[in-house]
Amino acid sequence: MTQSSPRPPAPPRRSDATRTAILDAARERFAADGYERATIRAIAKHANIDPSMVMRYYGNKEGLFAAAVSIDLKLPDPASLSREEAGRKLVTHFLAMWEENEVLTALLRVGATNQAGAERMQGIFADQLMPLALRVCPDPEQAPARAALVSSQLLGLALTRYVLRFPPAVALAPEEIVAWTAPTVQRYLTAPHPA
């Protein structure tokens, strides 16, 4: 009995490469131009393809934006997170994400100026931050308000450091940001409700 040799992996399909090129171009254009000014034509030109291909794969600008900013925040598993360390771990995690992921900056820019972008940002935070807030906050009924306060802190930091680029915010070392911000996020998540 002869053994058959393993098959080599299938080469990537042309459509996969085209989709990747479109999404990469869309992320760059949305980040640079904002949602309103980014056009299908400019995105297609950036990807070196015909605009009809963008429409074929994504339907319209809204569909393209939703696909381009499909973001997994990769938050720590709520079950693995100790209540006492939640604030520090969350700030450290978000800071690392913002430092290496320009898509988040694009989403923040668009979310600040466009309803579809704002809804996308709301969905990401509701779906991904709420489970963590539910796990660590003392009263589950307060979890939505606490998650909103955490979001305000993290998004405010991102806005001043990565979008508006306030020089003092940009100059802070990541360790300083964690030291300043983590206690506030921790308080939002776990402190007793203010009387």
Side-chain angles (χ1 to χ4, degrees), residues 3-173:
Q3 285 187 319
S4 61
S5 59
R7 278 189 196 169
R13 295 179 7 197
R14 177 185 269 157
S15 63
D16 293 341
T18 302
R19 286 178 191 268
T20 299
I22 292 169
L23 291 177
D24 288 346
R27 288 179 186 117
E28 288 186 38
R29 293 283 34 103
F30 285 131
D33 303 335
Y35 180 84
E36 299 300 333
R37 291 194 331 256
T39 65
I40 294 291
R41 187 173 305 283
I43 290 165
K45 182 177 179 183
H46 194 94
N48 293 318
I49 60 164
D50 189 88
S52 66
M53 295 300 288
V54 178
M55 302 303 280
R56 175 180 168 196
Y57 289 122
Y58 299 102
N60 55 31
K61 188 161 91 168
E62 290 80 15
L64 176 59
F65 178 75
V69 296
S70 178
I71 295 173
D72 178 0
L73 297 175
K74 298 180 178 115
L75 294 175
D77 177 12
S80 72
L81 199 60
S82 81
R83 193 168 186 265
E84 298 75 24
E85 290 290 308
R88 186 182 62 75
K89 289 204 181 251
L90 201 54
V91 173
T92 301
H93 178 78
F94 266 96
L95 195 57
M97 291 280 296
W98 286 104
E99 290 286 330
E100 64 190 39
N101 191 336
E102 290 184 15
V103 176
L104 288 171
T105 303
L107 183 57
L108 184 59
R109 286 179 192 274
V110 173
T113 61
N114 175 272
Q115 184 61 36
E119 289 170 3
R120 187 78 180 123
M121 186 72 101
Q122 291 163 13
I124 289 168
F125 274 79
D127 295 344
Q128 298 181 44
L129 186 59
M130 272 300 291
L132 191 144
L134 281 166
R135 166 107 169 113
V136 300
C137 80
D139 180 351
E141 288 185 15
Q142 297 171 2
R146 289 172 182 261
L149 289 167
V150 169
S151 297
S152 73
Q153 190 71 39
L154 296 172
L155 295 175
L157 169 64
L159 184 66
T160 56
R161 184 172 172 90
Y162 302 106
V163 176
L164 300 175
R165 302 195 52 78
F166 288 8
V170 173
L172 285 169

